């Protein structure tokens, strides 16, 4: 049959295409339709990252402030683009106001307990995972408040705001954190079983703030609880919790994408990811496996085969019509998907260097104004939210 086709003037390329069509028809179209569409459109990593970025930056003014902060903070850290500073500065003002209120109220009897109850009461209950976490936090007294305060103080330090000028009396907040029994909480296996990523974050926050260094103990306990040999017995939810927790040891060590991490320090993470990449793709979701890929990038292992495998999977998940990576249920809500899609931008368009901060100081504000004056390329219609 091949000779007959060639005898009719068919080129080898046409023949190869015809054979591929026949093969797909016989195998039930083994290559997903979206993958074929992407190949036909010639989509690559940079193009997909740019499309997601354009989609989100056009919609950013309509997203909740928490999503604006999350997006602008990460885009600054991978680009160093001063155009993202205004949204970061808005967040800094809100952060300082919030922490000042807490510092002033810390001496009020019962304040921490009351705020902890409020935070537990406000915890979402949309999924069984959230309901389990809410019940768990309700059992730990002040922890729900203390961990939130630790997060805010760490954010203040990241942005150069943890000082007596911006936050007078901030040492009182640090002294309060030093009085809280975080060790028992972080080393509790039931807590790690549903809160692994948050446990990793909190261990690094407390060390960064100079409150206490529990990192080694927490990592040792985590590895004891989740050795690779246990993986076959873990449910999908348990496995997701484990992998997500592992990514956050790496991400928290980078101060959330502000600096590289040591590949050797996290070799235990990277080696397990490399050995388990196919299960990670099968049993987790885009948010999680994208952070797995970013973990390699933070460790300077851009050329690791696992990175290309994860990037390819993310390209396959991308929806060209929606110009975003949908949820695992196919949802395309922009606010709900912001975390997933900003991570996609990062994995698909990783920079040559990272940019700490931003340090929210007047010189950077002047740089922002300069970059947004008379420059249509920097301040187009889709950038109206950053040039104001």
């Amino acid at each position: 049959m091949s000779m007959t086709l060639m005898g009719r003037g068919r080129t080898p390329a046409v023949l190869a295409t015809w054979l591929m069509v026949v093969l797909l028809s016989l195998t039930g179209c083994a290559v997903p339709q979206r993958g074929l569409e992407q190949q036909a459109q010639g989509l690559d990593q940079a193009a997909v990252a740019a499309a997601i970025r354009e989609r989100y930056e056009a919609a950013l003014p309509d997203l909740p402030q928490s999503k604006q902060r999350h997006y602008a903070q990460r885009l600054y850290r991978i680009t160093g683009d001063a155009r993202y500073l205004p949204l970061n500065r808005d967040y800094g003002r809100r952060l300082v106001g919030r922490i000042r209120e807490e510092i002033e109220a810390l001496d009020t009897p019962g304040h921490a307990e009351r705020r902890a109850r409020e935070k537990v009461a406000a915890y979402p209950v949309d999924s069984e995972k959230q309901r389990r976490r809410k019940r768990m936090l309700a059992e730990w007294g002040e922890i729900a408040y203390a961990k939130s305060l630790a997060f805010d103080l760490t954010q203040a330090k990241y942005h150069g705001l943890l000082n007596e000028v911006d936050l007078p009396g901030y040492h009182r907040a640090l002294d309060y954190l030093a009085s809280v029994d975080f060790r028992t909480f972080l080393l509790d296996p039931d807590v790690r079983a549903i809160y692994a990523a948050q446990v990793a974050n909190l261990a690094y926050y407390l060390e960064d703030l100079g409150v206490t260094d529990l990192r080694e103990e927490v990592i040792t306990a985590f590895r004891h609880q989740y050795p690779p040999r246990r993986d076959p017995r873990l449910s999908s939810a348990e496995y997701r919790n484990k992998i997500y927790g592992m990514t956050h040891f790496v991400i928290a060590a980078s101060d959330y994408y502000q600096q590289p991490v040591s590949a050797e320090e996290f070799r235990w993470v990277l080696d397990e990811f490399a050995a388990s990449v196919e299960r990670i793709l099968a049993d987790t979701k885009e948010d999680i496996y994208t952070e797995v890929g970013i973990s390699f990038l933070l460790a300077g292992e851009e050329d690791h085969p696992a990175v290309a495998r994860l990037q390819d999977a993310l390209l396959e998940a991308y929806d060209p019509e929606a110009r975003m990576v949908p949820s695992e249920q196919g949802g395309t809500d922009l606010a709900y998907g912001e975390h997933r899609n900003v991570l996609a931008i990062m994995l698909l368009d990783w920079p040559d260097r990272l940019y700490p901060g931003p340090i929210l100081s007047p010189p950077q504000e002047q740089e922002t104004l300069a970059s947004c004056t008379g420059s249509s390329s920097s301040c187009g219609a889709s950038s109206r939210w950053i040039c104001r």
Side-chain angles (χ1 to χ4, degrees), residues 86-361:
L87 286 180
N88 281 285
R89 188 171 295 282
D90 286 348
Y91 169 66
R93 282 192 285 266
R94 297 194 303 273
L95 179 67
V96 165
R98 185 163 65 241
I99 296 175
R100 284 182 175 181
E101 290 180 2
E102 296 301 334
I103 292 172
E104 293 173 1
L106 275 174
D107 292 334
T108 303
H111 173 73
E113 295 88 343
R114 177 180 60 81
R115 293 288 288 125
R117 289 193 299 269
E118 291 173 353
K119 289 186 176 296
V120 171
Y123 201 89
V125 291
D126 298 330
S127 66
E128 177 56 29
K129 177 179 69 175
Q130 290 174 333
R131 290 189 285 271
R132 290 179 64 197
R133 288 178 173 180
K134 182 170 184 171
R135 291 192 296 268
M136 178 271 294
L137 288 171
E139 297 172 356
W140 282 92
E142 297 179 27
I143 286 291
Y145 169 69
K147 72 176 189 65
S148 175
L149 183 60
F151 170 81
D152 281 349
L153 291 171
T154 303
Q155 288 290 319
K157 184 174 181 181
Y158 286 169
H159 292 89
L161 300 171
L162 196 62
N163 56 69
E164 285 292 340
V165 175
D166 293 294
L167 292 171
Y170 74 93
H171 283 287
R172 286 157 51 197
L174 295 177
D175 290 342
Y176 164 73
L177 292 181
S179 73
V180 176
D181 182 11
F182 285 108
R183 185 176 185 275
T184 301
F185 176 73
L186 292 175
L187 296 182
D188 188 295
D190 292 334
V191 172
R192 286 195 303 275
I194 58 173
Y195 218 46
Q198 291 76 11
V199 164
N201 288 341
L202 186 53
Y204 278 85
Y205 294 161
L206 294 173
E207 187 278 332
D208 204 24
L209 292 170
V211 173
T212 184
D213 188 356
L214 299 170
R215 295 172 300 171
E216 185 174 345
E217 287 184 83
V218 169
I219 290 174
T220 299
F222 179 93
R223 297 183 69 180
H224 178 76
Q225 184 169 350
Y226 289 115
R229 66 178 181 274
R230 279 198 62 207
D231 286 358
R233 300 194 299 275
L234 296 179
S235 67
S236 178
E238 290 170 332
Y239 188 70
R240 289 184 178 197
N241 179 68
K242 172 188 172 174
I243 299 300
Y244 203 41
M246 291 172 71
T247 67
H248 276 248
F249 282 114
V250 178
I251 292 169
S254 77
D255 288 342
Y256 270 75
Y257 320 112
Q258 295 186 74
Q259 60 189 3
V261 302
S262 164
E264 292 313 306
E265 180 181 351
F266 292 103
R267 183 56 57 197
W268 65 278
V269 173
L270 303 178
D271 284 352
E272 186 167 343
F273 284 167
S276 308
V277 67
E278 294 306 324
R279 182 175 178 185
I280 289 171
L281 287 171
D283 284 0
T284 69
K285 57 182 180 176
E286 287 78 7
D287 301 64
I288 298 175
Y289 73 66
T290 301
E291 287 194 357
V292 169
I294 291 172
S295 296
F296 284 97
L297 298 177
L298 285 168
E301 300 202 346
E302 295 90 344
D303 297 328
H304 196 289
V307 175
R309 180 73 180 94
L310 294 161
Q311 289 170 330
D312 287 345
L314 193 59
L315 287 175
E316 183 58 44
Y318 173 70
D319 183 340
E321 185 174 344
R323 289 185 295 153
M324 66 181 296
V325 177
S327 71
E328 58 182 332
Q329 295 82 24
T332 56
D333 180 86
L334 289 174
Y336 183 77
E338 181 274 331
H339 177 268
R340 178 188 332 115
N341 280 275
V342 77
L343 290 171
I345 294 170
M346 296 168 73
L347 180 60
L348 296 176
D349 195 17
W350 191 250
D352 294 330
R353 57 160 294 191
L354 297 172
Y355 297 84
I359 302 302
L360 302 177
S361 58

Side-chain angles (χ1 to χ4, degrees), residues 57-77:
E57 297 191 0
L60 205 55
D62 300 319
L63 295 185
Q65 286 183 332
S66 62
K67 303 297 183 181
Q68 294 180 11
R69 186 277 304 178
H70 188 272
Y71 182 93
Q73 190 180 78
R74 280 146 182 78
L75 261 291
Y76 178 84
R77 288 173 182 171

